Amino acid sequence: LDMTVQEFKKMFLSKCEVSSVKKLDICRLRFTVGEHSGKPLADPNAKLSKYIDSQEVTLYFKDLGPQVGWSTVFYVEYAGPILIVLTLLLLRK
């Protein structure tokens, strides 16, 4: 319980057989305490002891899937409306 969430996720990836098959990354991992909808291990720099009180605990793992970077979201979000307006202006003539 002395390691951080980030260190735990790295250790999980190194020892998990699924991670090599699915090419998992730390960004794709989500762990919750106690149940599927339990408290997530959200802060990567926090110690596990912040989330876990007892010696025996059940952690649930979920693969969040491929993650899109913020710059990609930004460009798509702002380029879409600009392209639509330009297309409508060109089609109007």
Side-chain angles (χ1 to χ4, degrees):
L1 296 177
D2 196 32
M3 62 174 52
T4 65
V5 172
Q6 183 88 2
E7 293 168 345
F8 172 73
K9 287 181 178 183
K10 286 180 182 178
M11 183 186 73
F12 177 81
L13 283 177
S14 68
K15 296 186 180 196
C16 179
E17 295 174 11
V18 176
S19 68
S20 61
V21 174
K22 289 183 108 181
K23 306 273 192 273
L24 294 179
D25 188 39
I26 289 180
C27 301
R28 292 177 60 163
L29 301 180
R30 180 172 189 253
F31 288 94
T32 54
V33 178
E35 56 188 49
H36 290 290
S37 59
K39 186 175 182 179
L41 304 180
D43 184 9
N45 298 321
K47 299 279 186 190
L48 286 177
S49 57
K50 175 182 175 184
Y51 300 101
I52 300 171
D53 297 332
S54 64
Q55 290 294 327
E56 289 188 28
V57 67
T58 303
L59 290 177
Y60 289 91
F61 158 72
K62 182 174 183 180
D63 176 14
L64 297 176
Q67 302 294 301
V68 179
W70 285 107
S71 58
T72 305
V73 172
F74 175 80
Y75 291 127
V76 169
E77 186 175 324
Y78 286 99
I82 292 171
L83 292 174
I84 291 172
V85 169
L86 289 175
T87 304
L88 291 175
L89 287 174
L90 290 173
L91 292 176
R92 201 167 91 172
K93 292 183 180 182

